[in-house]
């Protein structure tokens, strides 16, 4: 009797664990597809706007994400439902999950853009600061300016 109960609980646990593993894998796949979509949009904007900088294309992707997420959120909140003020904390609908994965993929893309662009800019500012500081050291000698 106990062995039969153990087998039922064990098989139920295994099914539950594998179900959540598959769900997590599906969500990760959706986020990865979203990231690939934002990257391909960025590459398309880079090719279409060759006369502009890469940061300009990144800002176009940001604008596109803003318009798309506002539109989808308005659709979910006002048309598809549930109304967030009468049903707060209700389970997410599949559309809400898709929009969340789309947005998470964008945030990962944006984080990569930030690192790619605050690093080059930070390094340039650091080198400019170092060269300016070394020039100031050469100009000052015992509190007085050096005469050339």
């Amino acid at each position: 009797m106990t062995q039969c109960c153990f087998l039922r609980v064990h098989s139920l646990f295994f099914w539950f664990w594998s179900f959540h593993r598959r769900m997590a894998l599906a969500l990760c796949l959706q986020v990865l597809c979203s990231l690939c979509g934002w990257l391909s949009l960025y590459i398309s904007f880079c090719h279409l706007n060759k006369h502009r900088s890469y940061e300009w294309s990144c800002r176009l992707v940001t604008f596109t994400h803003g318009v798309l997420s506002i539109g989808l959120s308005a659709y979910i909140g006002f048309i598809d439902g549930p109304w967030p003020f009468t049903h707060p904390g209700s389970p997410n609908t599949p559309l809400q999950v898709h929009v969340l994965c789309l947005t998470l993929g964008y945030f990962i893309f944006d984080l990569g853009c930030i690192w790619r662009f605050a690093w080059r800019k930070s390094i340039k500012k650091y080198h400019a600061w170092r060269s300016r500081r070394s020039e100031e050291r050469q100009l000052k000698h015992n509190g007085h300016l050096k005469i050339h």
Side-chain angles (χ1 to χ4, degrees), residues 54-147:
Y54 292 126
E55 193 171 0
W56 174 263
S57 298
C58 183
R59 290 180 187 204
L60 283 176
V61 172
T62 300
F63 176 76
T64 304
H65 170 260
V67 169
L68 187 65
S69 64
I70 287 172
L72 287 172
S73 297
Y75 175 78
I76 289 170
F78 295 119
I79 297 171
D80 191 45
W83 181 249
F85 298 116
T86 57
H87 297 90
S90 60
N92 291 334
T93 64
L95 182 59
Q96 289 172 335
V97 172
H98 290 305
V99 172
L100 287 171
C101 290
L102 183 80
T103 301
L104 182 58
Y106 166 75
F107 285 143
I108 294 170
F109 164 79
D110 195 42
L111 182 64
C113 286
I114 289 169
W115 281 346
R116 178 178 181 228
F117 292 124
W119 180 257
R120 289 182 179 177
K121 285 185 179 181
S122 295
I123 292 297
K124 285 180 184 178
K125 286 182 180 182
Y126 175 72
H127 286 301
W129 175 77
R130 289 284 301 224
S131 66
R132 199 172 353 113
R133 189 171 177 202
S134 65
E135 288 173 4
E136 288 175 1
R137 280 188 192 159
Q138 290 174 358
L139 290 176
K140 290 185 178 180
H141 181 69
N142 288 335
H144 300 287
L145 292 176
K146 281 185 178 180
I147 300 174

Side-chain angles (χ1 to χ4, degrees), residues 31-73:
V31 171
L32 186 63
C33 288
S34 170
L35 177 62
C36 290
W38 293 117
L39 280 172
S40 64
L41 184 64
Y42 171 72
I43 291 169
S44 299
F45 282 149
C46 286
H47 287 307
L48 289 174
N49 300 313
K50 290 182 181 179
H51 60 283
R52 302 276 189 179
S53 68
Y54 292 126
E55 193 171 0
W56 174 263
S57 298
C58 183
R59 290 180 187 204
L60 283 176
V61 172
T62 300
F63 176 76
T64 304
H65 170 260
V67 169
L68 187 65
S69 64
I70 287 172
L72 287 172
S73 297

